[in-house]
Amino acid sequence: MKKIIIGLGSCGIAAGGIKVKETLKKLIQESKQFVTLGETGCMGMCYKEPMIEICDDSSRNDSNRTIYGDVNEETARKIFESHIVKGVPLSEFVVLENKDTATGEWLGGSEKDFMSRQKRIVLARCGEMNPESIDDALKMDAYKGLEKAIKSMKPAEVIEEVLKSGVKGRGGAGFPTGMKWKFAAANDADQKYIICNADEGDPGAFMDRSVLEGDPHSVIEGLIIGGYAIGATEGYIYARAEYPIAIRRLKIAIKQAEEKGFLGDNILGTGIKFHLHIKEGAGAFVCGEETALIESIEGHRGMPRIRPPFPAARGLFAKPSNINNVETLANIGWIIRKGADAFAAFGTEQSKGTKVFALAGKIKRGGLVEIPIGMKLKEVIYDIGGGTVSGKAFKAVQMGGPSGGCIPANLVDTTIDYAALAETGAIMGSGGMIVMDEDNCMVDIARYFLNFTQSESCGKCTFCKIGTKRMLEILERITRGEGVEDDIEKLETLSYQIKTNALCGLGQTAPNPVLTTIRYFKDEYIAHIKEKKCPTHQCKALIKFGISDKCTGCTLCAKKCPVSAIGGKVKELHTIDQEKCTKCGICKAACKFSAIIVD
């Protein structure tokens, strides 16, 4: 019996996966073939969604697996007719095939290079199991780390193993996880809490969402182990309500874990107690800061607390608490099961293990990748990501989201580890990696990120709320061609004041995109301010669209213009009414003769 599995993470669903599933379901019913239809989460190749996998036997044997990409309703029918009915794989749509059981590497398919450079620990089960089936997860060693921890290790031994592994917080700060657990464990209390921070708010970041959608059990297992280690009997997963699929699958996974005895008052018959709850957040970026997150769980407005006291001493409901993000917790079961040395074998001397990144922006292969820490930026952008989707020159990559910074093309040999990235002015962050090409205006990029952080500021401290507002006003003036000579100096002065005086980490890092773009792309700021020009032709106030004598009078641009700003007779040179023109660029994209010019 053959098996068809369709990827139904958010990316698969958004690309049309539900329609493909319904098509396949209908084809199976009509053909009366002995075929089962299953689901899985995202395996990282978001750029190839919708994806389906065909297993030539229902056991999903590695050597008999074929994965197809860019599947729509029509191609689904072709693949079904060829592969299922005739037994002949349709090679033109194959992205991966035949996995080596010993090494875990895919041996064929157009996208095998995307997978071959990765080392998957957090993503090991994503795309490999049904996220709504705990039995699938158990077949792939889920909860074995938990069983080992509570049956053969003392809490202090668990903490020591996590310390020895060298795993750091994957939410951005990079603080040693074992040390964080040690602090919480050292505080005696009648009640302690462990919290998963799944409030993923960085633009272009979707690592946490994909892990929760694809393998919720890895996070649940990490929470239970962490709770046992620090002495917490209650846990919370704080996930933004904008992630409905992740939340639904988490609820299913929690119920299944309770039924199997991994959660409750007597875990695996050991007498150990742990209960898990989900708190849905309203999507405030500041709630990614751990004390603001705690405030939100307690039912208050999400605003950071003054520290000390730190959450390890006085956290949720004034009790000792520990907060880790999704990716950090998803590593824990693997570390306990395989051992600290196995995890520490990956990475660099100061930064151990692997890191998940979301490749977004102008990247050819957009999606999720998990790499050993220590890989160079250029390897991720070119070897895994395939370079820019436009084919134009790579210009910069924004790392760490609004709290991070832009790393220019001439630093593409930078090693991906916490220290090396900090030297560039960026940070590892939670793992967002937004790629830009030569057409991106770096002043406008700085304006975009500052606009985000300014609008998301909770308003508790003046330096963040008012300081970022003043910075945003300056950047908006510059992009309108109204900048003055001391604007760059003002931006730098405000940046350092905010970094020094803001209350929480989000405010303290908000100026980073501005500082790094000034550091590496100061010439673009000068061009905007002194020459009143945008070198990349992206700032609308500083550009003008025109039509050259290459125009053949085909009228296509006039037909496409949404405001009827283009006029002219057929087969004659057209003109643009500058009063009407909104500078949307549709005419330039439509013109087949390169007649539209931007000055």
Side-chain angles (χ1 to χ4, degrees), residues 362 388 390-396 435-442:
K362 296 181 178 180
T388 62
S390 63
K392 296 181 179 180
F394 163 66
K395 184 173 185 176
V435 174
M436 292 165 268
D437 69 12
E438 60 187 15
D439 285 343
N440 285 102
C441 170
M442 303 313 292

Side-chain angles (χ1 to χ4, degrees), residues 119-137:
K119 174 58 188 176
R120 294 163 77 92
I121 293 176
V122 172
L123 302 181
R125 295 195 290 258
C126 293
E128 298 284 333
M129 57 169 269
N130 183 343
E132 298 182 16
S133 169
I134 194 171
D135 290 329
D136 271 15

Side-chain angles (χ1 to χ4, degrees), residues 164-187:
K164 187 180 174 184
S165 74
V167 62
K168 295 181 179 180
R170 298 301 197 240
F175 191 81
T177 302
M179 189 65 69
K180 202 172 188 180
W181 287 14
K182 196 171 184 176
F183 293 152
N187 289 295

Side-chain angles (χ1 to χ4, degrees), residues 9-17:
S10 288
C11 52
I13 293 171

Side-chain angles (χ1 to χ4, degrees), residues 299-315:
H300 308 139
R301 182 179 177 184
M303 301 177 80
R305 297 174 178 175
I306 295 174
R307 299 182 294 181
F310 291 92
R314 186 180 174 87

Side-chain angles (χ1 to χ4, degrees), residues 57 95 107 158 179 207 237 277 320 336 356 371 457 534 556:
D57 61 73
V95 294
L107 303 177
V158 174
M179 189 65 69
M207 301 76 58
I237 299 176
H277 317 278
I336 299 300
V356 179
I371 61 163
S457 173
C534 176
L556 183 60

Side-chain angles (χ1 to χ4, degrees), residues 98 106 123-124 272 316 347 511 533 587:
N98 301 334
W106 291 92
L123 302 181
I272 294 167
L316 183 63
K533 289 185 178 180
C587 58

Side-chain angles (χ1 to χ4, degrees), residues 266-302:
N266 186 22
I267 296 175
L268 298 178
T270 61
I272 294 167
K273 181 194 299 185
F274 190 81
H275 294 275
L276 190 54
H277 317 278
I278 295 174
K279 170 68 176 180
E280 295 185 38
F285 180 65
V286 73
C287 286
E289 196 278 334
E290 59 183 24
T291 61
L293 180 153
I294 288 171
E295 287 285 311
S296 182
I297 293 177
E298 291 179 351
H300 308 139
R301 182 179 177 184

